[in-house]
Amino acid sequence: MSWSIAQVARMSGVTARTLRHYDDIGLLKPDHVGANGYRYYEEAQLLRLQQILVLRELGLGLADIATAIDSEPDLIAALRRQHARLIGERDRLARVARTVARTIADLEGRPEVAVRINRPENLFEGFDSSQYDDEARERWPEDFERAQRTRESMTDADVERWQREATAAMIRMAEFMAAGTPVDDPAVLDETHQHWLSICHWWTPNRTAYTCLGRMYVDDERFKANYTKIAEGLAEYQAAAMAAYAEARLSD
């Protein structure tokens, strides 16, 4: 499967201009150029782009990124090293965030409320969603059928990737909560937008439906339990963020 430069830009968040620059300097060549003059990318190029973005986040310059990628022919080994560096950077930033949170609490003259955040890689590993099929079919028949079609089109690897991304998103929300970030803060709204997009993978909730979904995360003990596994109070924070996002950015 091929993706145009515009599609890659949308998926990755990298501008088409930057992708053309990467082509010009030899950092990321497209798989081919179509008769229309457009650049097209295959999976191999997307994997290389992922490495470029990871190394860029770690502070490397473009020349060093090219050297690092081209010197390691084993893609899996390279990704493992980059993953380890990202984990280290994540932990470093988490320590910085905790320090800032303590400083804020001190300046505001109130005791710091410690929030313990668990950080599993895949909270939903081994989860069997079929146990909820009958209930979902009865409550949301049209959305259920769409979600079923989507699930049937996914490989086990696709499902695991989605589960890991969902887990990581919950942890990021817990970090906002721990830092005392208001749910209508632009950064929280942007993170909630990513949650809404992940839901749209299965069905597309409007303002009312998305707000109700957030309330269900709190009212339904089965959903709330998943959020509590990450941090106490996270379900309520997530629901409030979803309500704020729905009010600010969605319509009925």
Side-chain angles (χ1 to χ4, degrees), residues 68-152:
I69 295 176
D70 294 335
S71 65
E72 178 52 80
D74 187 335
L75 176 60
I76 294 178
L79 288 173
R80 281 175 176 160
R81 275 199 298 275
Q82 292 160 17
H83 179 257
R85 293 178 67 178
L86 284 171
I87 294 298
E89 181 67 6
R90 181 200 68 187
D91 292 343
R92 184 187 70 81
L93 290 174
R95 290 192 295 271
V96 173
R98 287 194 295 270
T99 299
V100 172
R102 285 194 295 270
T103 301
I104 292 172
D106 290 341
L107 291 175
E108 290 180 342
R110 53 184 170 82
E112 178 184 0
V113 178
V115 176
R116 181 174 182 271
I117 301 176
N118 295 314
R119 301 175 184 276
E121 290 189 3
N122 184 356
L123 179 65
F124 305 98
E125 185 174 5
F127 177 73
D128 180 14
S129 62
S130 63
Q131 60 185 302
Y132 304 114
D133 283 358
D134 291 341
E135 179 182 349
R137 186 183 291 107
E138 180 179 347
R139 296 179 66 176
W140 309 288
E142 294 183 5
D143 294 327
F144 174 78
E145 293 303 326
R146 175 186 167 184
Q148 282 295 95
R149 290 192 297 271
T150 300
R151 174 62 183 88
E152 290 168 0

Side-chain angles (χ1 to χ4, degrees), residues 10-11 162 165-166 169 172-173 187-201 210 238 245 249:
R10 284 195 298 270
M11 288 189 296
W162 187 88
E165 290 171 355
R172 289 193 298 271
M173 288 297 285
V188 177
L189 292 179
D190 287 345
E191 181 64 40
T192 309
H193 176 63
Q194 295 304 313
H195 177 266
W196 181 78
L197 290 177
S198 73
I199 298 298
C200 290
H201 184 76
Y210 193 58
Q238 177 76 43
Y245 172 83
R249 303 191 185 182

Side-chain angles (χ1 to χ4, degrees), residues 170-213:
M170 293 167 71
I171 293 171
R172 289 193 298 271
M173 288 297 285
E175 290 169 345
F176 281 124
M177 180 183 70
T181 311
V183 294
D184 59 355
D185 184 274
V188 177
L189 292 179
D190 287 345
E191 181 64 40
T192 309
H193 176 63
Q194 295 304 313
H195 177 266
W196 181 78
L197 290 177
S198 73
I199 298 298
C200 290
H201 184 76
W202 308 96
W203 61 290
T204 306
N206 60 18
R207 176 189 295 171
T208 300
Y210 193 58
T211 302
C212 290
L213 179 63

